[in-house]
């Protein structure tokens, strides 16, 4: 195992611990006012989460979706950008968890029969296969809401820090119609239709890139980076998003289900134009390398260093899962 692999394993374990600390696991009683002679209507509900209330199936589905593995790339990029800019505040912790919740919400919905109709994700059965389509939709909705509920806990971690509001503005915009969900909508609308490079790059920049941009920008913002520095981080992160998605296209053609933990050739099944179908495998590989190195070049133009972050981005070129 290389030094990078060891560091990666250690950091992902740390991030998993942070994320789990914000997942539903506590129960609190709720008692409603009532007449003395009325039947009891006391019940249990989830304040910070539960698996014992009447909504336990929903919360089980939330936890199942969050705990089935994954690279934790987005919170990792957030953390390492934060470190690069010298950040020390605990406000980063709820944002890291919130970002993975938003990403997992998008995967739950992406796997649904109405979209990609995939049965496996990260080597496990998808949420809608285990819990049913309706509960999977609700679990995705619950995770998106839990993400914002979690992110605002940063105010308690660092009272009076104005950068938290800046970070929330980035998180909410990059998630919605001008970010990840906007890209997802175009991907769905144009499925089975030929796409030109502008349309394809638009989908990639929003559907995949927006959360990567948000992750790195939030890391920079919470560490006190200037507006100019955050803008440069956004440009670098956009290149990371492009490299990551094109590599996904490559792996959909060249990878195995055992390595990826999900079905291969799903893009062909869903009649989607990809970078590989548009440009061929060799050009796609060259473009992954170009965008990855461009991201590192942009980061190198900042007066800060994080060797692990550079190596992580370049690692995207050769990943097999």
């Amino acid at each position: 195992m290389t030094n990078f692999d060891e560091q990666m394993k250690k950091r992902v374990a740390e991030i998993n611990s942070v994320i789990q600390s914000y997942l539903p696991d506590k129960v609190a009683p709720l008692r409603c006012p009532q007449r003395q002679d009325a039947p009891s209507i006391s019940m249990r509900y989830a304040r910070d989460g539960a698996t014992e209330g009447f909504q336990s199936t929903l919360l089980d589905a939330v936890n199942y979706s969050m705990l089935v593995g994954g690279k934790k790339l987005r919170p990792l990029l957030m953390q390492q950008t934060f470190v690069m800019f010298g950040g020390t505040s605990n406000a980063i912790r709820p944002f890291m968890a919130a970002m993975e919740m938003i990403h997992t919400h998008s995967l739950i919905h992406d796997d649904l029969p109405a979209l990609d109709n995939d049965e496996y994700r990260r080597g496990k059965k998808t949420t809608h296969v285990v819990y049913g389509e309706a509960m999977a939709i609700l679990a995705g909705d619950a995770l998106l809401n839990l993400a914002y509920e979690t992110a605002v806990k940063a105010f308690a971690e660092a009272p009076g820090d104005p950068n938290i509001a800046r970070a929330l503005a980035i998180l909410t915009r990059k998630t919605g119609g001008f970010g990840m969900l906007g890209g997802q909508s175009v991907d769905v609308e144009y499925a089975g239709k030929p796409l030109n490079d502008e349309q394809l790059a638009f989908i990639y920049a929003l559907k995949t890139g927006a959360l990567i941009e948000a992750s790195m920008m939030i890391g920079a913002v919470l560490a006190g980076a200037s507006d100019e520095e955050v803008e440069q981080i956004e440009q670098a992160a956009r290149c990371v998003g492009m490299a990551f998605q094109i590599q996904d296209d490559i792996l959909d053609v060249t990878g195995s289900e055992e390595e990826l933990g999900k079905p291969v050739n799903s893009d062909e099944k869903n009649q989607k134009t990809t970078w590989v179908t548009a440009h061929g495998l060799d050009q796609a590989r060259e473009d992954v390398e170009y965008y990855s190195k461009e991201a590192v070049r942009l980061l190198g133009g900042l007066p800060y260093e994080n060797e692990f972050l550079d190596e992580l981005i370049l690692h995207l070129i050769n990943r097999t899962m």
Side-chain angles (χ1 to χ4, degrees), residues 175-209:
T175 302
F178 293 96
M180 185 239 338
L181 290 172
Q184 180 73 289
S185 73
V186 179
D187 188 43
V188 170
E189 184 178 355
Y190 282 79
K193 300 176 183 177
L195 297 172
N196 60 38
D197 280 359
E198 183 181 9
Q199 293 167 323
L200 197 54
F202 179 90
I203 292 171
Y204 286 12
L206 271 67
K207 181 183 175 182
T208 303

Side-chain angles (χ1 to χ4, degrees), residues 175-293:
T175 302
F178 293 96
M180 185 239 338
L181 290 172
Q184 180 73 289
S185 73
V186 179
D187 188 43
V188 170
E189 184 178 355
Y190 282 79
K193 300 176 183 177
L195 297 172
N196 60 38
D197 280 359
E198 183 181 9
Q199 293 167 323
L200 197 54
F202 179 90
I203 292 171
Y204 286 12
L206 271 67
K207 181 183 175 182
T208 303
L211 291 190
I212 291 175
E213 292 168 25
S215 297
M216 296 181 70
M217 292 168 72
I218 288 169
V221 163
L222 290 176
S226 68
D227 289 343
E228 293 77 15
E229 290 168 337
V230 173
E231 185 176 346
Q232 190 156 336
I233 286 292
E234 183 178 25
Q235 292 172 10
R238 189 158 298 158
C239 290
V240 174
M242 285 295 292
F244 189 85
Q245 184 56 56
I246 296 171
Q247 183 67 7
D248 250 17
D249 294 346
I250 293 170
L251 293 175
D252 191 63
V253 175
T254 65
S256 69
E257 188 167 331
E258 290 74 23
E259 287 179 317
L260 299 177
K262 61 181 180 180
V264 295
N265 299 315
S266 61
D267 292 327
E268 181 181 356
K269 178 192 76 175
N270 293 307
Q271 299 180 306
K272 288 185 178 181
T273 300
T274 71
W275 211 263
V276 172
T277 61
H279 297 281
L281 199 54
D282 289 342
Q283 184 62 53
R285 284 175 170 144
E286 288 181 20
D287 290 341
V288 170
E289 184 171 1
Y290 166 78
Y291 284 116
S292 298
K293 289 184 176 179

Side-chain angles (χ1 to χ4, degrees), residues 12-263:
V12 170
E14 291 170 353
I15 289 168
N16 277 326
S17 178
V18 169
I19 290 169
Q20 288 181 35
S21 71
Y22 291 101
L23 291 180
D25 65 357
K26 296 179 182 177
V27 181
L30 172 67
R31 301 191 179 278
C32 300
Q34 56 187 306
R35 300 192 325 268
Q36 269 191 330
D37 59 343
S40 173
I41 53 174
S42 298
M43 58 183 176
R44 300 177 77 76
Y45 80 112
R47 182 174 60 198
D48 289 325
T51 52
E52 297 179 24
F54 288 126
Q55 79 282 50
S56 61
T57 302
L58 171 67
L59 298 169
D60 283 344
V62 164
N63 282 335
Y64 173 83
S65 305
M66 288 292 294
L67 297 175
V68 292
K71 292 175 283 294
K72 304 298 182 288
L73 175 66
R74 289 149 194 84
L76 184 57
L77 287 169
M78 184 188 295
Q79 178 198 55
Q80 291 304 307
T81 306
F82 181 72
V83 169
M84 184 177 75
F85 281 93
T88 58
S89 167
N90 281 335
I92 192 72
R93 291 170 58 86
F95 274 99
M96 288 163 57
M99 182 57 68
E100 189 65 14
M101 291 170 185
I102 293 170
H103 174 57
T104 302
H105 139 267
S106 76
L107 299 182
I108 293 173
H109 284 185
D110 202 33
D111 290 334
L112 288 168
L115 278 80
D116 288 349
N117 194 24
D118 283 329
E119 294 187 1
Y120 286 90
R121 168 76 64 176
R122 297 169 174 170
K124 303 287 186 180
K125 289 190 174 182
T126 50
T127 307
H128 74 88
V129 172
V130 177
Y131 291 94
E133 187 175 356
M135 194 59 69
I137 292 170
L138 292 172
D141 292 344
L143 266 175
L144 188 60
N145 191 78
L146 180 60
Y148 300 129
E149 183 182 339
T150 300
V152 298
K153 291 180 179 180
F155 287 112
E157 295 284 358
D161 184 353
N163 291 323
I164 294 173
R166 291 174 64 203
L168 280 170
I170 293 168
L171 185 72
T172 52
R173 183 171 180 84
K174 293 287 187 181
T175 302
F178 293 96
M180 185 239 338
L181 290 172
Q184 180 73 289
S185 73
V186 179
D187 188 43
V188 170
E189 184 178 355
Y190 282 79
K193 300 176 183 177
L195 297 172
N196 60 38
D197 280 359
E198 183 181 9
Q199 293 167 323
L200 197 54
F202 179 90
I203 292 171
Y204 286 12
L206 271 67
K207 181 183 175 182
T208 303
L211 291 190
I212 291 175
E213 292 168 25
S215 297
M216 296 181 70
M217 292 168 72
I218 288 169
V221 163
L222 290 176
S226 68
D227 289 343
E228 293 77 15
E229 290 168 337
V230 173
E231 185 176 346
Q232 190 156 336
I233 286 292
E234 183 178 25
Q235 292 172 10
R238 189 158 298 158
C239 290
V240 174
M242 285 295 292
F244 189 85
Q245 184 56 56
I246 296 171
Q247 183 67 7
D248 250 17
D249 294 346
I250 293 170
L251 293 175
D252 191 63
V253 175
T254 65
S256 69
E257 188 167 331
E258 290 74 23
E259 287 179 317
L260 299 177
K262 61 181 180 180

